[in-house]
Amino acid sequence: MDLKNDVQELNRNLYEQIEPFATGFLKVSDVHTIYWEQSGNPSGHPVVFLHGGPGGGTSPSNRRFFDPEFYQIILFDQRGAGKSTPHACLEENTTWDLIKDIEKLREHLQIPEWQVFGGSWGSTLALAYSQSHPDKVTGIVLRGIFLLRKKEIDWFYEGGAAAIFPDAWEPFRDLIPEAERDCFVKAYHKRLNSDDLNTQYEAARAWTKWEMMTAHLLPNEETIKRGDNDDFSLAFARIENHYFVNKGFFSTDSYLLDNIEKIKHINAVIVQGRYDCCCPMMSAWDLHKAWPEADFKVVADAGHSANEPGISAELVAANEKLKNIIKSK
């Protein structure tokens, strides 16, 4: 079944909230242990959910993008995030460590291959994982494309998005003395790795609030409040900043685009909000041009968040498309 010619009516509504049928912790290194859970159909088609950030962790609502009667839904918290331990830890925490963890989890759960779903940083990791293990991937759904290139980091953290959100930008900017404002990512790195925990928390709150205030087309108070949670903010800000300072641990700026050939044969859907200020559409467009075989959906009235109505509808529909392809085989 051709993805682009699949014209039948697809469900676009989030599924009802469900509880996991299994949860656990997997020790992936001498330092790190990751939390995982499974929900939906224990004998269904496996799909792994890759959360954003990095450092964002998973939440129960992430299960709702998938038909629980068809999919075996696997969520896990990446190193240092969510319920994984140690909390906010940067040691042995790179893209390549996370890719190894995904493989360890797949083997631990005795899953031969699975569908990969990721948004924002999750789209970065989904691409990197799929390019590393294309033989283990049955389909890919990506949202809010982030390729971790310099121009994307500069846009969001060095003043680009401030043109649209000057009110949200000022508290983020003002935490840093003028003498250090030539590179906010480095200035925040210093504070997020300070010996003083209060300095870490203060920087983490400012970093996280900036992202949460810009994640929706229309401001979402529930999302913005996450920036007040020190536990969440510390992991979110420290791990994000760590990855950005290290350029995603990729060997080149265009690494993910340069390796698209490895996954062109895999059925895929790209979902992008037109007014995404965190991960602007230029990246989704560049990916679409490099990978025209993937179905490309632009949501005209949405920003970045997966929870915006237009984005969540396209994500559910994307999973339905891939479900129909699998069922037709």
Side-chain angles (χ1 to χ4, degrees):
M1 185 186 297
D2 183 349
L3 210 61
K4 294 185 178 175
N5 294 329
D6 179 16
V7 293
Q8 62 184 296
E9 197 60 38
L10 297 166
N11 175 44
R12 303 171 68 82
N13 298 312
L14 289 166
Y15 285 92
E16 291 298 311
Q17 186 61 268
I18 53 170
E19 293 302 312
F21 63 78
T23 64
F25 289 89
L26 178 64
K27 190 163 180 62
V28 290
S29 80
D30 290 341
V31 176
H32 290 277
T33 299
I34 60 169
Y35 166 80
W36 60 266
E37 64 169 57
Q38 296 187 82
S39 56
N41 183 347
S43 56
H45 186 79
V47 57
V48 62
F49 179 97
L50 304 181
H51 67 68
T58 56
S59 61
S61 62
N62 300 151
R63 306 167 196 145
R64 300 184 63 195
F65 297 112
F66 311 95
D67 179 351
E69 292 184 8
F70 180 80
Y71 282 110
Q72 176 188 356
I73 306 158
I74 297 108
L75 272 59
F76 76 97
D77 291 332
Q78 295 157 31
R79 294 188 179 200
K83 297 176 185 174
S84 294
T85 58
H87 183 71
C89 177
L90 306 183
E91 187 184 344
E92 291 181 16
N93 198 337
T94 75
T95 305
W96 310 108
D97 290 317
L98 300 187
I99 288 170
K100 287 176 187 170
D101 293 352
I102 297 169
E103 275 297 276
K104 284 174 184 169
L105 181 60
R106 184 186 62 76
E107 290 165 1
H108 176 71
L109 299 176
Q110 300 182 311
I111 292 168
E113 56 182 14
W114 51 10
Q115 186 172 310
V116 178
F117 180 107
S120 194
W121 156 256
S123 76
T124 322
L125 185 57
L127 287 166
Y129 170 76
S130 300
Q131 290 170 6
S132 298
H133 299 282
D135 57 320
K136 302 298 188 289
V137 179
T138 62
I140 304 171
V141 176
L142 305 172
R143 185 268 313 167
I145 302 305
F146 182 44
L147 302 175
L148 226 155
R149 296 173 296 177
K150 184 180 185 298
K151 67 179 180 180
E152 296 167 59
I153 302 293
D154 287 351
W155 159 262
F156 193 63
Y157 294 103
E158 304 298 342
I164 300 164
F165 287 96
D167 46 345
W169 173 255
E170 284 189 4
F172 176 84
R173 179 198 68 193
D174 292 349
L175 185 76
I176 305 301
E178 284 192 35
E180 292 181 67
R181 291 181 189 173
D182 58 320
C183 183
F184 283 96
V185 173
K186 282 184 183 171
Y188 269 90
H189 185 261
K190 184 169 104 177
R191 287 155 181 82
L192 290 166
N193 293 279
S194 167
D195 292 334
D196 178 56
L197 193 57
N198 286 329
T199 300
Q200 288 189 31
Y201 280 136
E202 184 182 33
R205 284 192 296 269
W207 178 283
T208 305
K209 279 233 168 178
W210 162 240
E211 188 155 337
M212 298 301 150
M213 290 176 79
T214 55
H216 290 252
L217 183 66
L218 302 175
N220 182 292
E221 288 305 318
E222 195 176 319
T223 299
I224 293 167
K225 279 179 189 168
R226 298 189 83 187
D228 293 325
N229 181 326
D230 283 346
D231 195 52
F232 172 79
S233 289
L234 191 64
F236 185 77
R238 283 194 88 215
I239 298 172
E240 267 200 351
N241 179 275
H242 165 69
Y243 272 71
F244 300 166
V245 162
N246 288 288
K247 302 174 183 176
F249 303 93
F250 295 123
S251 53
T252 64
D253 196 53
S254 57
Y255 179 87
L256 294 173
L257 290 177
D258 293 342
N259 285 278
I260 285 296
E261 285 296 331
K262 295 176 181 174
I263 57 172
K264 278 197 169 184
H265 63 287
I266 301 172
N267 285 312
V269 183
I270 300 164
V271 176
Q272 179 69 34
R274 168 72 71 179
Y275 300 107
D276 187 334
C277 281
C278 300
C279 299
M281 192 174 133
M282 62 179 176
S283 298
W285 185 253
D286 290 344
L287 182 61
H288 164 61
K289 299 294 278 188
W291 193 8
E293 297 84 357
D295 200 1
F296 184 49
K297 297 287 185 182
V298 178
V299 183
D301 57 351
H304 182 65
S305 175
N307 300 319
E308 294 186 67
I311 300 273
S312 62
E314 288 295 351
L315 291 174
V316 173
N319 286 321
E320 296 293 295
K321 286 181 181 181
L322 294 183
K323 175 179 87 173
N324 290 341
I325 291 170
I326 294 158
K327 287 172 81 172
S328 71
K329 286 181 178 175

